[in-house]
Short mmCIF file of all heavy atoms in Angstrom, two decimals:
data_model
loop_
_atom_site.label_atom_id
_atom_site.label_comp_id
_atom_site.label_asym_id
_atom_site.label_seq_id
_atom_site.Cartn_x
_atom_site.Cartn_y
_atom_site.Cartn_z
N PRO A 210 3.52 18.38 -6.31
CA PRO A 210 4.76 17.70 -6.68
C PRO A 210 4.99 17.70 -8.20
O PRO A 210 4.12 18.05 -8.97
CB PRO A 210 4.53 16.27 -6.18
CG PRO A 210 3.05 16.08 -6.25
CD PRO A 210 2.48 17.42 -5.88
N THR A 211 6.20 17.29 -8.54
CA THR A 211 6.57 17.11 -9.94
C THR A 211 7.01 15.65 -10.11
O THR A 211 6.89 14.85 -9.19
CB THR A 211 7.68 18.11 -10.32
OG1 THR A 211 8.04 17.92 -11.69
CG2 THR A 211 8.92 17.95 -9.46
N THR A 212 7.43 15.30 -11.31
CA THR A 212 7.96 13.95 -11.52
C THR A 212 9.33 14.06 -12.17
O THR A 212 9.64 15.05 -12.84
CB THR A 212 7.05 13.09 -12.42
OG1 THR A 212 6.88 13.75 -13.66
CG2 THR A 212 5.71 12.83 -11.76
N LEU A 213 10.13 13.02 -11.99
CA LEU A 213 11.49 13.07 -12.52
C LEU A 213 11.51 13.19 -14.04
O LEU A 213 12.30 13.96 -14.59
CB LEU A 213 12.28 11.84 -12.06
CG LEU A 213 13.75 11.81 -12.50
CD1 LEU A 213 14.51 13.05 -12.03
CD2 LEU A 213 14.42 10.54 -11.99
N ASP A 214 10.62 12.47 -14.73
CA ASP A 214 10.67 12.56 -16.20
C ASP A 214 10.37 13.97 -16.69
O ASP A 214 11.01 14.45 -17.64
CB ASP A 214 9.78 11.49 -16.87
CG ASP A 214 8.35 11.49 -16.39
OD1 ASP A 214 8.01 12.31 -15.50
OD2 ASP A 214 7.56 10.69 -16.90
N VAL A 215 9.45 14.67 -16.03
CA VAL A 215 9.16 16.06 -16.40
C VAL A 215 10.39 16.94 -16.14
O VAL A 215 10.76 17.78 -16.98
CB VAL A 215 7.93 16.58 -15.61
CG1 VAL A 215 7.79 18.09 -15.74
CG2 VAL A 215 6.67 15.89 -16.11
N GLU A 216 11.04 16.74 -15.01
CA GLU A 216 12.25 17.55 -14.72
C GLU A 216 13.36 17.25 -15.72
O GLU A 216 14.05 18.17 -16.17
CB GLU A 216 12.73 17.30 -13.28
CG GLU A 216 11.76 17.76 -12.20
CD GLU A 216 11.29 19.20 -12.37
OE1 GLU A 216 12.12 20.08 -12.68
OE2 GLU A 216 10.07 19.43 -12.23
N LEU A 217 13.52 15.98 -16.06
CA LEU A 217 14.60 15.64 -17.01
C LEU A 217 14.39 16.30 -18.36
O LEU A 217 15.34 16.63 -19.07
CB LEU A 217 14.68 14.11 -17.18
CG LEU A 217 15.23 13.33 -15.98
CD1 LEU A 217 15.03 11.83 -16.18
CD2 LEU A 217 16.71 13.65 -15.74
N ALA A 218 13.13 16.54 -18.71
CA ALA A 218 12.82 17.13 -20.01
C ALA A 218 12.85 18.66 -20.00
O ALA A 218 12.98 19.29 -21.06
CB ALA A 218 11.44 16.65 -20.49
N THR A 219 12.74 19.26 -18.81
CA THR A 219 12.53 20.72 -18.77
C THR A 219 13.42 21.49 -17.80
O THR A 219 13.56 22.71 -17.94
CB THR A 219 11.06 21.03 -18.39
OG1 THR A 219 10.75 20.37 -17.16
CG2 THR A 219 10.10 20.56 -19.48
N ASN A 220 13.99 20.83 -16.82
CA ASN A 220 14.76 21.55 -15.79
C ASN A 220 16.20 21.75 -16.27
O ASN A 220 16.95 20.79 -16.41
CB ASN A 220 14.74 20.71 -14.49
CG ASN A 220 15.41 21.41 -13.33
OD1 ASN A 220 16.31 22.24 -13.52
ND2 ASN A 220 15.00 21.09 -12.11
N PRO A 221 16.61 22.99 -16.54
CA PRO A 221 17.94 23.21 -17.12
C PRO A 221 19.09 22.69 -16.26
O PRO A 221 20.15 22.35 -16.78
CB PRO A 221 18.03 24.74 -17.29
CG PRO A 221 17.00 25.29 -16.37
CD PRO A 221 15.91 24.26 -16.27
N PHE A 222 18.85 22.61 -14.94
CA PHE A 222 19.92 22.14 -14.04
C PHE A 222 20.17 20.64 -14.18
O PHE A 222 21.19 20.15 -13.72
CB PHE A 222 19.58 22.50 -12.59
CG PHE A 222 19.57 23.98 -12.36
CD1 PHE A 222 18.39 24.71 -12.42
CD2 PHE A 222 20.76 24.67 -12.12
CE1 PHE A 222 18.38 26.08 -12.24
CE2 PHE A 222 20.76 26.04 -11.93
CZ PHE A 222 19.56 26.75 -12.00
N LEU A 223 19.24 19.93 -14.82
CA LEU A 223 19.44 18.50 -15.08
C LEU A 223 19.84 18.26 -16.54
O LEU A 223 19.98 17.12 -16.97
CB LEU A 223 18.15 17.71 -14.78
CG LEU A 223 17.56 17.87 -13.37
CD1 LEU A 223 16.38 16.92 -13.19
CD2 LEU A 223 18.62 17.63 -12.30
N ARG A 224 20.02 19.35 -17.30
CA ARG A 224 20.19 19.22 -18.74
C ARG A 224 21.48 19.85 -19.28
O ARG A 224 21.51 20.35 -20.41
CB ARG A 224 18.98 19.84 -19.44
CG ARG A 224 17.68 19.10 -19.13
CD ARG A 224 16.43 19.87 -19.51
NE ARG A 224 16.43 20.29 -20.90
CZ ARG A 224 16.24 19.48 -21.94
NH1 ARG A 224 16.01 18.20 -21.72
NH2 ARG A 224 16.28 19.93 -23.17
N PRO A 225 22.57 19.85 -18.49
CA PRO A 225 23.80 20.46 -19.02
C PRO A 225 24.36 19.71 -20.23
O PRO A 225 25.19 20.26 -20.96
CB PRO A 225 24.77 20.42 -17.84
CG PRO A 225 24.26 19.35 -16.96
CD PRO A 225 22.77 19.37 -17.11
N ALA A 226 23.90 18.47 -20.47
CA ALA A 226 24.36 17.72 -21.65
C ALA A 226 23.58 18.10 -22.91
O ALA A 226 23.95 17.69 -24.01
CB ALA A 226 24.22 16.22 -21.39
N ASP A 227 22.52 18.88 -22.75
CA ASP A 227 21.64 19.16 -23.89
C ASP A 227 22.34 20.06 -24.93
O ASP A 227 22.82 21.15 -24.58
CB ASP A 227 20.37 19.85 -23.37
CG ASP A 227 19.40 20.14 -24.49
OD1 ASP A 227 18.83 19.17 -25.01
OD2 ASP A 227 19.25 21.32 -24.86
N PRO A 228 22.36 19.63 -26.19
CA PRO A 228 23.06 20.40 -27.23
C PRO A 228 22.53 21.82 -27.40
O PRO A 228 23.32 22.76 -27.61
CB PRO A 228 22.83 19.58 -28.50
CG PRO A 228 22.50 18.20 -28.04
CD PRO A 228 21.82 18.35 -26.71
#
Side-chain angles (χ1 to χ4, degrees):
T211 180
T212 57
L213 183 56
D214 54 358
V215 168
E216 295 309 316
L217 288 170
T219 55
N220 184 333
F222 294 95
L223 304 186
R224 296 166 54 73
D227 182 70

